[in-house]
Amino acid sequence: MRILLISHSFNGLTQRLCCELVTRGHEISIEFDIADAVSEEAVALFRPDLIIAPFLKRAIPESIWSRHCCLIVHPGPVGDRGPSALDWAIQGGAKEWGVTVLQAEAEMDAGPVWASATFPMRSARKASIYRSEVTEAAVQAVIATVNRKNEPNFKPARVPGQAHALMKQADRAIDWQTETSAAILAKLNAADGFPGVADELFGQPCHLFDAWPEASLKGDPGSLLGRRETAICRATADGSVWIGHVKPAGGIKLPTTLAFTEAAELPELPLDGGYWKSPTPTWQDIAYEEAGGVGFLSFEFYNGAMSTGQCRRLTEAFQWATTRPTKVIVLRGGSDFWSNGIHLNTIEAAESPADESWANINAIDDLAEAILRCETQLTVAAVGGNAGAGGCFLARAADFVWLRDGVMLNPHYKNMGNLYGSEFWTYLLPPRVGDEGAKAIMRHRLPMTAPEAVKLGFYDACLPGPAFAVDVARRAAELASAPDFPEKLAAKQAKRRADEATKPLAAYRAEELAEMRRNFYGFDPSYHVARYHFVSRSAHSWTPRHLARHRDLDWKVPA
Ligand code: COA
């Protein structure tokens, strides 16, 4: 089928649906929902058999839904209608939730239902549930819908429903004096990553994001108890919670201590166990565990963005992990994202974004180099969350890359104002996919599924989603206990030395950074402009040509 995706943006869910439909042989084109006339033009050019709207912020115009079958992906179970669906579910403590694919009609989300899927709710942030459970359920329901489109006897069912209102800040407001940590966490989770909860810190208005539970710290409700690295801890009626990120009024989302310099006055609350994973809930972005000769290093960095400071701390943690008596180190990344490369928000907020970009790319390269030069353990990148740009190549610095089936990968840099990229991609990519393959990946700017990445030879294994963590631990333990472990380690060391003799890592790095220097400091401001729009979440004013295939110059309107 020829399927047009009309979406507010090419978000993770839209990327995944696009890849899944292409894999099943459908012809896909994408148009961003910018204006009714633009969508109408896209429909006229592409002449789709079906229109799917994975992620919309407003209704499809009647001029389209009255003439074409338009299917809306609604992040709520059958009968749920209206905006803020997930927000209400999380804040209200729903035990089960779902996704419904329904036909667009005049009344929002009230059209006949084509397919649906449900999932048990997890206590997590909205953005996390959306990227994980909602995305999986949406894939299931959309595939069922597309199959049903060809079933002549299938009739979508009309179901009664209840529409809820848009959740307002008044519904999200926190009373720090009376509310418990659990209730406050539910409110903060329901609002993450957009719009956040409107509140005040240091007497200044801001929106709160990135909440973490805390098991032991207590104080006067509402008071600020202290800080740890980039987060601050605030007392509730029965304990406290950590706030990792804020968006000050008129500003961009930033780590809390960076947004409010006043936080420097708060007492530092260090973790007792260093890198070891705390046995009780608290704020800990880098956490280490060990089992069966394997060290597991998690880095739960908000949105997978890795600032200069985070890269340096993670490099130190990695180097410390290499001194442990283990045979394998598993780099687990975070639960939603493994890594999305350098931290574009902290760069934007810096006095000199060019200097901060330079510091950040050098810090992430130092981390990649530490992984590449590790001689004491075999290393595994266990990519359980999505990865983008430099994050994809940072993962490849490990000896093995194992992916959770379902993650989306964007192993290219060009979408960020034609960045050249670093993280040793010129060393890591060509041996695996060839020079032409490397150029094609970089040029195409398109997302890739886990099975595609493994098929290309870029990564090593794709493991089933639900048992990913268990499978990774088992496979890593097998690597560590394998009788041929010493030979494998020796082979790795020999290969590194041979590669170094052919062309030193320093040479790859210098070549990549020479290009990056031009991106950061050169005449062409594309990267700075693209970064500004990205961190400001500017609305799209057109759909990039690599997505809107119906706008290709050689596109022929189907007969
Ligand atoms: N720095 C700072 N924030 C980042 C980031 C980065 N490198 N990558 C992603 N984010 C943030 C986004 O701003 C967004 O923030 P929000 O909480 O305000 O919504 C959130 O992470 C999710 O990103 P989004 O773009 O909505 O997710 P997606 O699944 O649609 O797309 C990517 C994933 C990786 C394709 C996209 O985020 C991207 O292009 N990131 C930039 C990658 C990059 O160019 N890195 C620098 C070069 S190494």
Side-chain angles (χ1 to χ4, degrees):
M1 272 193 267
R2 211 164 35 244
I3 303 176
L4 179 67
L5 302 181
I6 299 186
S7 189
H8 177 74
S9 71
F10 198 40
N11 71 343
L13 169 58
T14 311
Q15 294 174 27
R16 176 82 188 280
L17 288 176
C18 177
C19 290
E20 295 287 347
L21 292 168
V22 168
T23 307
R24 286 165 176 78
H26 301 290
E27 196 178 359
I28 305 296
S29 195
I30 298 154
E31 187 72 48
F32 289 164
D33 178 33
I34 291 162
D36 291 355
V38 177
S39 300
E40 284 162 7
E41 190 180 48
V43 173
L45 284 169
F46 195 53
R47 302 239 179 119
D49 302 310
L50 190 60
I51 297 171
I52 300 179
F55 168 45
L56 281 186
K57 293 203 170 178
R58 55 184 209 127
I60 290 194
E62 184 174 353
S63 56
I64 297 183
W65 64 253
S66 59
R67 281 183 227 142
H68 301 267
C69 180
C70 295
L71 298 163
I72 311 288
V73 179
H74 174 71
V78 174
D80 180 85
R81 291 178 188 174
S84 314
L86 264 178
D87 310 47
W88 289 114
I90 296 170
Q91 198 154 307
K95 295 276 173 283
E96 188 180 77
W97 204 241
V99 170
T100 308
V101 177
L102 36 84
Q103 198 160 332
E105 281 188 350
E107 195 186 332
M108 201 174 179
D109 303 331
V113 170
W114 280 73
S116 64
T118 57
F119 52 83
M121 262 306 220
R122 186 164 51 97
S123 163
R125 297 170 188 173
K126 177 174 65 169
S128 179
I129 305 268
Y130 186 81
R131 287 194 187 99
S132 176
E133 285 87 345
V134 168
T135 299
E136 292 303 331
V139 169
Q140 235 179 294
V142 165
I143 300 305
T145 300
V146 170
N147 293 339
R148 283 170 188 169
K149 192 76 181 49
N150 285 330
E151 285 173 23
N153 296 330
F154 180 79
K155 288 262 172 301
R158 276 190 188 280
V159 291
Q162 187 65 41
H164 41 68
L166 179 77
M167 191 183 268
K168 300 200 182 69
Q169 281 299 338
D171 303 309
R172 304 183 192 271
I174 294 173
D175 181 347
W176 292 89
Q177 304 299 320
T178 58
E179 287 189 77
T180 62
S181 301
I184 291 173
L185 278 169
K187 284 186 171 173
L188 290 164
N189 280 343
D192 213 293
F194 180 83
V197 173
D199 205 303
E200 266 192 10
L201 281 175
F202 305 100
Q204 297 163 60
C206 61
H207 285 75
L208 310 180
F209 300 90
D210 185 20
W212 295 57
E214 165 58 45
S216 43
L217 295 164
K218 283 190 166 69
D220 288 341
S223 64
L224 299 180
L225 302 180
R227 69 189 167 90
R228 181 174 302 151
E229 301 294 352
T230 52
I232 62 169
C233 186
R234 187 167 190 182
T236 64
D238 65 345
S240 59
V241 297
W242 291 89
I243 307 292
H245 277 72
V246 294
K247 187 172 175 299
I252 57 170
K253 211 187 262 187
L254 287 174
T256 311
T257 57
L258 182 65
F260 292 113
T261 45
E262 297 87 337
E265 305 297 320
L266 296 173
E268 178 70 27
L269 301 169
L271 269 169
D272 288 343
Y275 297 121
W276 289 97
K277 186 176 162 65
S278 163
T280 53
T282 189
W283 187 90
Q284 185 177 23
D285 61 348
I286 299 178
Y288 180 82
E289 290 170 277
E290 233 170 70
V294 181
F296 296 90
L297 192 59
S298 305
F299 31 106
E300 199 63 68
F301 296 150
Y302 190 62
N303 283 338
M306 297 170 93
S307 69
T308 308
Q310 285 166 318
C311 290
R312 287 182 185 152
R313 287 196 290 117
L314 185 54
T315 307
E316 277 170 27
F318 176 76
Q319 272 158 345
W320 171 83
T322 63
T323 64
R324 296 286 310 155
T326 55
K327 292 185 168 163
V328 174
I329 297 176
V330 175
L331 298 159
R332 269 184 183 151
S335 37
D336 292 342
F337 289 106
W338 195 85
S339 166
N340 280 329
I342 57 176
H343 200 314
L344 299 167
N345 291 47
T346 54
I347 289 171
E348 187 67 26
E351 205 174 314
S352 162
D355 288 352
E356 184 51 32
S357 302
W358 183 251
N360 204 159
I361 200 72
N362 274 285
I364 203 167
D365 279 1
D366 288 343
L367 172 61
E369 200 165 333
I371 299 169
L372 281 166
R373 290 193 190 279
C374 169
E375 295 215 330
T376 38
Q377 281 93 353
L378 292 177
T379 54
V380 177
V383 182
N386 296 349
C392 293
F393 303 101
L394 182 66
R396 190 58 278 179
D399 302 316
F400 303 92
V401 184
W402 301 337
L403 308 166
R404 176 176 65 78
D405 195 7
V407 298
M408 287 311 307
L409 307 157
N410 277 278
H412 44 76
Y413 302 88
K414 285 212 178 302
N415 288 345
M416 197 51 63
N418 277 321
L419 270 188
Y420 182 79
S422 190
E423 293 97 359
F424 299 93
W425 74 266
T426 53
Y427 168 62
L428 294 164
L429 195 49
R432 294 197 154 80
V433 300
D435 287 338
E436 278 315 305
K439 278 191 201 133
I441 289 176
M442 290 294 182
R443 208 174 36 228
H444 275 145
R445 308 171 172 220
L446 285 169
M448 203 184 269
T449 60
E452 277 167 353
V454 173
K455 196 165 158 215
L456 272 178
F458 182 30
Y459 292 141
D460 306 300
C462 173
L463 310 178
F468 181 69
V470 176
D471 272 0
V472 166
R474 180 184 48 76
R475 289 170 68 116
E478 280 167 13
L479 263 184
S481 60
D484 65 348
F485 175 84
E487 289 82 44
K488 280 209 176 102
L489 192 64
K492 158 180 164 159
Q493 292 162 351
K495 171 148 189 332
R496 180 81 284 285
R497 279 174 206 150
D499 283 358
E500 189 70 14
T502 312
K503 179 172 173 179
L505 280 182
Y508 288 99
R509 181 169 171 159
E511 286 166 11
E512 290 172 3
L513 289 182
E515 298 283 347
M516 289 297 259
R517 184 172 266 287
R518 251 192 295 279
N519 290 141
F520 299 157
Y521 294 101
F523 179 71
D524 175 1
S526 302
Y527 156 69
H528 297 291
V529 173
R531 190 194 60 241
Y532 168 79
H533 286 299
F534 181 80
V535 304
S536 317
R537 313 306 283 160
S538 302
H540 296 287
S541 49
W542 52 285
T543 310
R545 287 290 152 89
H546 66 279
L547 302 178
R549 296 191 42 223
H550 51 278
R551 295 187 187 278
D552 277 354
L553 290 180
D554 55 357
W555 172 258
K556 293 206 176 31
V557 179

